[in-house]
Amino acid sequence: MSEDDLARLRAALEAATPAPDPGVRSGQLQRAAAAFAAHHQGTAGGARRNMQGLADGARRSGVLKMLDRLTSRAALAATASAAAVAAAAWFLILPHGDPRLEGPPSGRLPAADAVAPATLPAPPPAPSTATAGGEAESPPAPAPRPAIAPPGADARAAGAPATAEVAADATAVAPSATMPDPAYGAAAADGDRYATAAPNPVQVTAEAPVSTFSVDVDTASWAYVRRDLLAGSLPPAEAVRIEEMINYFPYGWPAPEAAAEGPFRTTVAVTPTPWNAHTRLVHIALKGRLPAIADRPALDLVFLIDTSGSMQGPDRLDLLKQGFRLMLSELRPEDRVAIVTYAGNAGEVLAPTPASERGTILAALDRLEAGGSTAGQAGLVQAYATARAMAGEGRIGRILLATDGDFNVGISDPEELKRHVARERESGIYLSVFGFGRGNLNDALMQALAQNGNGTAAYIDTLAEARKVLVDQLTGALFPIADDVKVQVEWNPAAVAEYRLIGYETRALARTDFANDRVDAGEIGAGHTVTAIYEIVPVGSPARMTEDLRYAPPVRVGEADELGFLRLRYKLPGEETSTLVERPIPTGTGEAGEDIRFSAAIAGFGQLLAGSTFLGDWGWADAIALADGARGADPFGWRAEAVTLMRLAESLAELR
């Protein structure tokens, strides 16, 4: 462009730009401020949206459209006047600033307790990773997520393609292949978003004999199901994760009798299938060792509490306070508690305090109020900094994140948040996530954070559930006994024609992940039980759904003394090398006891809720009868509640 062209452009801009009018500008700013206040993203009960992100997107879209039309000098001159006017109006009317600094101080504490916002660290450079053969290579960009990621598939379920900014933040820590990508979380009609995946398909053993997955001790899905049924509606299918429904209940699987047996004992049982006389169920169950309370390590707990505006209400911040009050009574004097809150920014509102000083801790909880937007990433940074400062030899550090929804201020990209948490888990600090409320719940993000943070995810909808999670099952929730627990089953094609894993869709691992100690997986806490159920089709059964391929290699008949071979890998807390456990799966079919029948009833219940096509004519009445006949001792009444919920679901299904 010549100097004459620039001079003509400058003249056109000056002619098109109106002279500044202080009175008009003042009025515009007042009207904009009033409109912003009326629709503030932190309003209680409303779904918060990241207006800064929307504004940035609008700017980028407008700039791209304008540049697309600038194809000649004439077009540039014609566009300049309109662009100048639009730019002037944009910067006069709309507020600008760093979204990480907006909003009121978290917790709305008195001025004496005010804390400066946390400083966000720059992401570390991306180091190279080592291949199995020891040769270093750059971290690969995530592949597009497949429509179905069944266990045993050789391709790992991955997230959406990373942007250049996200790819630059890759680390040497291998992310968990089990993490659901929040970008793909299914949205329910009420605005909640769930981590979900397509149901596991039937696998042909001769073609895909190996099934691999991570254990899961989360329980959130059962609470979602109960919440919706008690509110008079069937839950959305995307909220149903069958393994979490099964593992909500404790079972009497045998635990290790001595430390030499390892942190957990494995039980395998083969029984008839309630909904299909021609198939079998294979239960694979783990029971964690429960050490004496006096022998457990001291705890360093950081309560990371969402105090944004949408947390206002009896089922959110009020219920959260009640639940944490109950938990304090279970802590010992040598345990310590700190509180970090986040809304428009984040801060430490209670320095590490001995659990024996209950009055001080309760006073800090009672002062918390809801208001502002949701700077969740800044809260995580502050919470991990506090937990690292508390760390000591022989102590367990854990962050307990309590929230109702999104992180919409600061860095909120799901992939970047997952990588941040994955880096932090290398410090040995665990992250557990507790969800509250409905209508804005981001279950997909909760799952991703908890799984990448070596923790668990639960949903608390009642005070009774708060007691179950934070009191009755406190030991299992806070004291890990085995990290990165992976399960792999190799099915014998001479005995098993087809199989499918019931649930664990979001926990699928690639076959090669099993022996890779850099790949993260699920944790087991003290006393935890984990149950997985396969439905198998024996060779020769009329229940087979596929036919032999013309060019498939022949199956070696007569070698059916085993249904399959079970392998498990786990790491003791703090260790980097896994331990391998192996055992065959026998062919014999046994009688189903109460625990097996009840877990099968819950598996059937979950499939009915999800609309499964594998149950045939087996329906609600069958699930109810099976569960009701297997309630057993039921000291807390959880199994009786399950039967009641099944009856509610049956009635609601008839109204459809």
Side-chain angles (χ1 to χ4, degrees):
M1 182 179 291
S2 66
E3 293 184 4
D4 291 340
D5 293 332
L6 291 174
R8 284 194 294 273
L9 177 59
R10 186 181 302 109
L13 287 170
E14 291 175 352
T17 305
D21 185 338
V24 173
R25 183 176 186 276
S26 177
Q28 290 171 330
L29 289 174
Q30 291 176 3
R31 287 191 295 274
F36 184 79
H39 300 85
H40 193 275
Q41 59 190 356
T43 302
R48 304 185 305 277
R49 304 188 67 185
N50 191 340
M51 299 307 296
Q52 183 69 28
L54 292 176
D56 290 344
R59 291 175 191 160
R60 287 193 293 271
S61 177
V63 170
L64 290 173
K65 290 180 180 177
M66 184 179 77
L67 291 176
D68 187 57
R69 290 168 171 76
L70 297 182
T71 57
S72 65
R73 295 181 180 178
L76 178 61
T79 308
S81 298
V85 173
W90 183 271
F91 284 97
L92 282 172
I93 295 174
L94 293 181
H96 296 274
D98 187 346
R100 298 174 188 174
L101 302 180
E102 66 181 60
S106 63
R108 297 185 178 271
L109 294 175
D113 294 320
V115 182
T119 301
L120 302 182
S128 63
T129 59
T131 64
E135 182 178 355
E137 59 180 14
S138 299
R145 184 186 180 99
I148 298 176
D154 288 336
R156 175 184 310 184
T163 62
E165 177 183 359
V166 172
D169 189 36
T171 72
V173 178
S176 170
T178 70
M179 301 305 112
D181 189 336
Y184 292 87
D190 61 2
D192 293 340
R193 279 160 289 169
Y194 299 99
T196 188
N200 289 325
V202 170
Q203 298 282 3
V204 178
T205 308
E207 299 170 9
V210 179
S211 171
T212 310
F213 63 95
S214 163
V215 299
D216 185 5
V217 294
D218 293 347
T219 60
S221 183
W222 178 265
Y224 299 148
V225 167
R226 178 182 57 210
R227 174 199 66 184
D228 287 350
L229 290 175
L230 291 178
S233 63
L234 291 170
E238 55 268 19
V240 177
R241 293 191 291 270
I242 297 176
E243 75 278 5
E244 294 185 17
M245 296 176 64
I246 295 171
N247 289 323
Y248 179 87
F249 302 92
Y251 300 98
W253 316 126
E257 297 179 357
E261 294 185 54
F264 55 82
R265 177 182 286 188
T266 307
T267 298
V268 177
V270 183
T271 61
T273 303
W275 51 83
N276 192 331
H278 302 292
T279 67
R280 297 290 179 267
L281 293 186
V282 178
H283 276 69
I284 298 173
L286 311 179
K287 176 70 172 182
R289 185 177 68 252
L290 183 62
I293 298 298
D295 296 335
R296 71 166 175 81
L299 283 170
D300 289 327
L301 300 180
V302 179
F303 295 170
L304 175 56
I305 300 175
D306 180 354
T307 55
S308 61
S310 65
M311 280 293 287
Q312 183 175 350
D315 64 336
R316 304 186 188 210
L317 187 58
D318 293 347
L319 179 58
L320 182 157
K321 292 179 183 180
Q322 292 175 315
F324 281 175
R325 290 175 71 97
L326 292 177
M327 185 176 68
L328 287 177
S329 63
E330 300 298 308
L331 301 182
R332 299 189 303 176
E334 57 268 32
D335 299 329
R336 293 183 295 181
V337 173
I339 300 176
V340 173
T341 62
Y342 64 90
N345 51 33
E348 182 183 281
V349 299
L350 177 70
T353 302
S356 57
E357 298 181 19
R358 291 192 62 198
T360 302
I361 299 171
L362 292 175
L365 279 173
D366 290 340
R367 292 200 304 269
L368 300 181
E369 297 179 0
S373 47
T374 317
Q377 196 267 354
L380 279 172
V381 170
Q382 180 66 63
Y384 275 111
T386 300
R388 285 194 299 270
M390 296 170 70
E393 186 68 27
R395 303 179 69 89
I396 293 177
R398 187 178 290 267
I399 297 170
L400 305 180
L401 168 58
T403 181
D404 77 318
D406 284 334
F407 291 7
N408 61 10
V409 173
I411 300 173
S412 57
D413 176 76
E415 290 298 321
E416 191 169 350
L417 285 169
K418 290 195 296 185
R419 269 188 290 275
H420 174 74
V421 171
R423 288 194 301 270
E424 292 286 1
R425 75 169 179 249
E426 295 303 295
S427 65
I429 298 169
Y430 295 80
L431 171 67
S432 291
V433 185
F434 304 116
F436 292 82
R438 67 180 304 169
N440 188 53
L441 188 74
N442 193 337
D443 165 77
L445 185 59
M446 287 171 47
Q447 292 284 321
L449 293 177
Q451 293 175 22
N452 277 279
N454 279 1
T456 58
Y459 177 73
I460 297 177
D461 56 335
T462 64
L463 189 59
E465 183 66 13
R467 177 177 174 83
K468 176 182 185 292
V469 173
L470 300 174
V471 178
D472 298 331
Q473 298 178 336
L474 176 69
T475 301
L478 299 182
F479 298 98
I481 59 173
D483 292 344
D484 294 341
V485 184
K486 306 170 187 176
V487 179
Q488 186 172 83
V489 180
E490 179 185 355
W491 295 104
N492 180 5
V496 178
E498 298 167 340
Y499 69 90
R500 68 182 178 101
L501 176 60
I502 301 175
Y504 289 93
E505 286 85 358
T506 64
R507 299 284 185 154
L509 292 174
R511 179 176 174 180
T512 53
D513 290 337
F514 181 74
N516 185 351
D517 283 346
R518 293 177 56 254
V519 174
D520 185 52
E523 282 63 47
I524 294 180
H528 262 156
T529 59
V530 179
T531 303
I533 303 175
Y534 284 91
E535 183 177 6
I536 64 167
V537 179
V539 169
S541 169
R544 184 173 177 181
M545 302 179 68
T546 61
E547 296 180 348
D548 290 331
L549 296 177
R550 178 180 179 89
Y551 304 108
V555 174
R556 292 176 295 182
V557 181
E559 298 183 6
D561 54 332
E562 297 175 355
L563 289 178
F565 198 70
L566 171 65
R567 299 179 179 90
L568 299 103
R569 283 192 178 273
Y570 69 91
K571 299 174 187 173
L572 293 176
E575 295 189 355
E576 298 182 357
T577 303
S578 66
T579 298
L580 176 65
V581 177
E582 298 178 310
R583 62 172 295 176
I585 300 175
T587 56
T589 301
E591 183 179 351
E594 286 180 346
D595 285 336
I596 289 176
R597 297 201 309 276
F598 187 82
S599 60
I602 298 299
F605 179 40
Q607 291 176 88
L608 288 169
L609 291 172
S612 173
T613 60
F614 295 109
L615 300 181
D617 296 331
W618 198 83
W620 301 104
D622 300 298
I624 292 168
L626 184 60
D628 194 40
R631 285 190 295 172
D634 195 23
F636 298 102
W638 297 331
R639 295 190 180 188
E641 180 190 57
V643 174
T644 299
L645 294 178
M646 289 180 183
R647 290 182 175 131
L648 276 175
E650 180 184 30
S651 299
L652 292 169
E654 292 174 352
L655 296 176
R656 277 186 169 179

